[in-house]
Amino acid sequence: MHDHHDHSHHDHGHGHDGHDHDGHDHGAELRAAPTRRLWVAFGLTAGFLGVEAVAGVLTHSLALLSDAVHMLTDAGALLLAVMAQRMATRPRTPRQTYGYRRAETLAAFVNGIALAGSSLWIVKEALSRWQSPPEIQGRALLGVAFVGLLVNLASAWVLSRGGEAQNANTRAALAHVVSDAAGSVAAMVAGGLIAWKGWRWSDPLVSVAISLLVLRSAWRLLAETAGVLMESAPAHIDVLAVEKTVRETPGVAGFHDLHVWALADTLAAATVHVVLAPGAHGVEVASRVAERLRAEHAIAHSTVQPEAPESPLVTLQRKAPPRA
């Protein structure tokens, strides 16, 4: 059981903060590679978008049109991701003291909304076509969907390279492209069934199936990015283990106001007030806690506020009710 104190009962001076960070962004070099990959994927996606849209109209295929809608969403999402990636490399300012790393997460959140919206539109359109599916050119549908699959696989391969530089932004773009590749497979299945079996209803049925899978991916993406935007503790960090680390650090008699969150999905942060043990040096304890948070929990940005133990008299005075 750790010592937990009411934050309002302490007068905190931050002249002795222990900071485990520096003034420049070490991630700028890593984010340059994802930006190039996003541009390549955008070029591939936007280049095939028009072809698939025209083919969808000519073949009367909802599967192709839905895939074209996905590719339109993909193109916009990839462009948004590039803009967010570039913004994230900008240095911090007196107003934006954390810099612009959250732009990546915000773009990923918007992309998740776009994924969900396009999926729901396809389901609605498929249900309206179920009763009387139009005449569809199955062989043309199959051929165009196959080319679209190749384009999507190429984009996915480009985006998935360089795992060390992955972030929520590139993962969101990759989710778009992978879902669109699945849409191309679904369109191929529908094209084959129509060409050889004459089952026109397979077009809206396959469209609904793939849209539900895309909707699931969108939900997971929204949940992940919403956690960052709401400053929840990162899923990969055990806060109870962090408490144990702080409590067992030499020189720490107790702590309170421990907060763990993420500036971006790849950059965890923490703040904590530690009560010093008798004879402990504040700067040394703060540095020790920060180093252990980095080494044991991969928390790269930490602020540790050391505080001297309070005497019982001071505690009673601070808890006394104010005079009328």
Side-chain angles (χ1 to χ4, degrees), residues 172-203:
L174 181 59
H176 273 275
V177 173
V178 169
S179 69
D180 206 41
S184 296
V185 173
M188 290 174 60
V189 171
L193 292 175
I194 293 169
W196 285 288
K197 295 291 186 179
W199 295 348
R200 289 185 292 172
W201 50 263
S202 63
D203 184 65

Side-chain angles (χ1 to χ4, degrees), residues 182-274:
S184 296
V185 173
M188 290 174 60
V189 171
L193 292 175
I194 293 169
W196 285 288
K197 295 291 186 179
W199 295 348
R200 289 185 292 172
W201 50 263
S202 63
D203 184 65
L205 179 63
V206 168
S207 299
V208 170
I210 194 59
S211 294
L212 294 179
L213 292 177
V214 173
L215 193 61
R216 178 175 177 272
S217 297
W219 173 257
R220 292 178 59 185
L221 181 61
L222 288 173
E224 176 186 348
T225 53
V228 176
L229 295 175
M230 293 295 293
E231 298 190 343
S232 303
H236 66 280
I237 293 180
D238 184 348
V239 178
L240 293 180
V242 173
E243 291 182 354
K244 184 173 184 291
T245 296
V246 175
R247 185 187 309 114
E248 294 179 352
T249 300
V252 174
F255 67 92
H256 61 96
D257 293 292
L258 171 65
H259 303 284
V260 182
W261 74 101
L263 301 177
D265 72 308
T266 57
L267 183 60
T271 60
V272 63
H273 291 241
V274 297

Side-chain angles (χ1 to χ4, degrees), residues 7-321:
H7 187 74
S8 62
H9 296 325
H10 296 271
D11 295 327
H12 299 286
H14 292 281
H16 298 287
D17 288 1
H19 296 283
D20 190 23
H21 63 88
D22 47 41
H24 64 280
D25 186 0
H26 291 290
E29 297 84 357
L30 288 179
R31 289 194 296 274
T35 301
R36 289 191 295 269
R37 291 195 291 273
L38 288 168
W39 272 121
V40 173
F42 171 76
L44 291 171
T45 302
F48 189 73
L49 169 61
V51 175
E52 192 165 42
V54 172
V57 173
L58 295 178
T59 61
H60 307 290
S61 169
L62 176 62
L64 269 188
L65 288 175
S66 64
D67 202 36
V69 170
H70 276 160
M71 294 197 79
L72 177 61
T73 306
D74 292 346
L78 288 166
L79 185 60
L80 181 62
V82 170
M83 295 171 60
Q85 199 79 43
R86 292 175 64 87
M87 182 177 293
T89 63
R90 295 170 58 182
R92 65 181 184 175
T93 67
R95 183 171 181 82
Q96 301 292 338
T97 56
Y98 275 125
Y100 295 85
R101 292 294 302 273
R102 280 278 172 88
E104 299 172 353
T105 303
L106 184 60
F109 185 78
V110 173
N111 287 349
I113 295 176
L115 269 175
S118 62
S119 299
L120 293 175
W121 178 85
I122 293 166
V123 171
K124 177 179 178 295
E125 185 67 18
L127 292 177
S128 68
R129 288 194 178 197
W130 179 258
Q131 296 296 330
S132 55
E135 190 71 31
I136 299 172
Q137 302 176 28
R139 294 182 184 275
L141 165 59
L142 180 61
V144 174
F146 177 71
V147 177
L149 175 62
L150 295 180
V151 172
N152 289 317
L153 290 178
S155 298
W157 179 77
V158 170
L159 289 173
S160 62
R161 296 179 63 194
E164 76 285 349
Q166 286 283 357
N167 53 34
N169 199 29
T170 52
R171 288 200 303 274
L174 181 59
H176 273 275
V177 173
V178 169
S179 69
D180 206 41
S184 296
V185 173
M188 290 174 60
V189 171
L193 292 175
I194 293 169
W196 285 288
K197 295 291 186 179
W199 295 348
R200 289 185 292 172
W201 50 263
S202 63
D203 184 65
L205 179 63
V206 168
S207 299
V208 170
I210 194 59
S211 294
L212 294 179
L213 292 177
V214 173
L215 193 61
R216 178 175 177 272
S217 297
W219 173 257
R220 292 178 59 185
L221 181 61
L222 288 173
E224 176 186 348
T225 53
V228 176
L229 295 175
M230 293 295 293
E231 298 190 343
S232 303
H236 66 280
I237 293 180
D238 184 348
V239 178
L240 293 180
V242 173
E243 291 182 354
K244 184 173 184 291
T245 296
V246 175
R247 185 187 309 114
E248 294 179 352
T249 300
V252 174
F255 67 92
H256 61 96
D257 293 292
L258 171 65
H259 303 284
V260 182
W261 74 101
L263 301 177
D265 72 308
T266 57
L267 183 60
T271 60
V272 63
H273 291 241
V274 297
V275 180
L276 300 176
H281 191 280
V283 175
E284 292 179 357
V285 172
S287 298
R288 198 176 297 138
V289 171
E291 179 57 34
R292 293 191 66 185
L293 291 178
R294 176 196 291 273
E296 299 179 21
H297 304 285
I299 298 177
H301 181 112
S302 60
T303 302
V304 181
Q305 170 68 50
E307 298 176 357
E310 292 184 336
S311 68
L313 178 60
V314 172
T315 302
L316 288 175
Q317 289 175 343
R318 289 190 174 180
K319 291 185 177 180

